[in-house]
Amino acid sequence: MPVTLITDLSDPRLHDYSHQTDVALKKARSAEHGIYIAESALVLERALRAGHTARSVLALGGTSSEAEALVGGDVPIFSGDGALLAELTGYVLHRGLIAAMNRPALPDPAQLLADARRIVIVENVADPTNLGAIFRSAGAIGADAVLVTPNCTDPFYRRAIRVSMGTVLQVPWTRTGDWPSTRALLDAHGFHVAALALTPDAVSLRDFDGAQHDRLALVLGAEGSGLTEAALAASDTVVQIPMKHGIDSLNVAAASAVAMWALG
């Protein structure tokens, strides 16, 4: 399939890119589970390696050949200059290409926990940048899976995927239910639940021996408000990162990296 040079921004084949919000893409009726945007050749490669399917690719002129090498001849590739593509999408394609991808069906949480030893549970984190950074740490340091609560931002949002450098597409993840059902699921799979929070009874991360637990779940809370009472009640241990100079906490993404490394 030859590369198509864009001449008309009203072309219906470009609808996936035409100033679409993440929410609109998620609800797109043209795909069974919605659509997400993979930004950059690296992220597209990781998405394809994870088994996700591309609907089309939008590429700056110089990156068309790179897009062809990644998706082959069966996926439409549209190309144009930077100003034209920015007019179409509403943002500058700094990384040369973006691809509209079909969202996969999310796995059952029990399926992810079956063989996992170290997992991360993210409760109500609102900022896609923070969530993407948490996934990047999970991928780099070695979490086996990530569970996100119903009110957590979507890992498939463009900014979350971009900040994670595509690790959102590599680290197995899914949505979980309310805390009673989540705790029952963790119990069934033998997980010790460690919540990262500032409470009077919190144990220093230096003193908590994660190695004694064959299966460990680290729970991270929302920016500012931290973990809910329900999350704390569902935890076995509350841990905190020891601080100096009167500082009591780190950004949730930074804290996740420190805690994951210590408990890995």
Side-chain angles (χ1 to χ4, degrees), residues 148-221:
V148 296
T149 63
N151 291 327
C152 188
T153 192
D154 194 330
F156 277 142
Y157 281 178
R158 184 173 65 93
R159 191 151 49 112
I161 296 174
R162 183 178 72 239
V163 171
S164 81
M165 295 295 289
T167 51
V168 163
L169 312 173
Q170 295 177 300
V171 178
W173 71 272
T174 195
R175 292 275 179 187
T176 189
D178 60 16
W179 273 109
S181 63
T182 299
R183 179 67 216 219
L185 181 67
L186 294 168
D187 282 342
H189 288 84
F191 277 88
H192 183 92
V193 182
L196 193 63
L198 300 173
T199 63
D201 62 339
V203 177
S204 170
L205 195 58
R206 289 196 183 102
D207 300 325
F208 179 68
D209 184 8
Q212 70 175 315
H213 302 290
D214 182 50
R215 290 185 160 189
L216 184 65
L218 175 66
V219 188
L220 304 168

Side-chain angles (χ1 to χ4, degrees), residues 7-264:
T7 56
D8 180 7
L9 295 184
S10 65
D11 187 329
R13 295 175 298 174
L14 302 175
H15 179 71
D16 290 348
Y17 306 104
S18 182
H19 288 260
Q20 295 283 359
T21 65
D22 285 315
V23 174
L25 289 170
K26 182 179 180 179
K27 296 179 178 179
R29 295 181 179 180
S30 58
E32 183 178 3
H33 304 291
I35 300 166
Y36 73 87
I37 295 295
E39 190 174 359
S40 82
L42 171 65
V43 172
L44 174 56
E45 181 182 7
R46 288 179 172 174
L48 295 171
R49 196 183 303 149
H52 300 185
T53 57
R55 296 162 58 87
S56 64
V57 180
L58 189 65
L60 292 173
T63 59
S64 297
S65 58
E66 191 173 12
E68 286 184 286
L70 287 170
V71 300
D74 297 328
V75 176
I77 300 172
F78 301 96
S79 182
D81 65 36
L84 187 67
L85 299 191
E87 183 181 349
L88 171 66
T89 62
Y91 52 86
V92 177
L93 274 65
H94 291 294
R95 290 172 170 81
L97 64 82
I98 59 176
M101 309 293 296
N102 288 313
R103 283 177 176 246
L106 293 180
D108 184 272
Q111 176 186 339
L112 295 191
L113 298 186
D115 299 316
R117 292 294 178 267
R118 292 290 183 269
I119 71 166
V120 176
I121 303 175
V122 187
E123 184 194 46
N124 302 352
V125 166
D127 187 345
T129 296
N130 284 332
L131 187 62
I134 291 169
F135 266 91
R136 189 169 181 179
S137 294
I141 297 170
D144 299 311
V146 176
L147 301 181
V148 296
T149 63
N151 291 327
C152 188
T153 192
D154 194 330
F156 277 142
Y157 281 178
R158 184 173 65 93
R159 191 151 49 112
I161 296 174
R162 183 178 72 239
V163 171
S164 81
M165 295 295 289
T167 51
V168 163
L169 312 173
Q170 295 177 300
V171 178
W173 71 272
T174 195
R175 292 275 179 187
T176 189
D178 60 16
W179 273 109
S181 63
T182 299
R183 179 67 216 219
L185 181 67
L186 294 168
D187 282 342
H189 288 84
F191 277 88
H192 183 92
V193 182
L196 193 63
L198 300 173
T199 63
D201 62 339
V203 177
S204 170
L205 195 58
R206 289 196 183 102
D207 300 325
F208 179 68
D209 184 8
Q212 70 175 315
H213 302 290
D214 182 50
R215 290 185 160 189
L216 184 65
L218 175 66
V219 188
L220 304 168
E223 307 90 341
S225 58
L227 291 172
T228 63
E229 290 298 325
L232 293 171
S235 301
D236 298 302
T237 307
V238 179
V239 296
Q240 63 179 336
I241 299 170
M243 303 281 177
K244 295 181 179 180
H245 305 297
I247 299 169
D248 63 358
S249 64
L250 297 173
N251 166 273
V252 64
S256 73
V258 172
M260 275 188 262
W261 185 88
L263 301 177

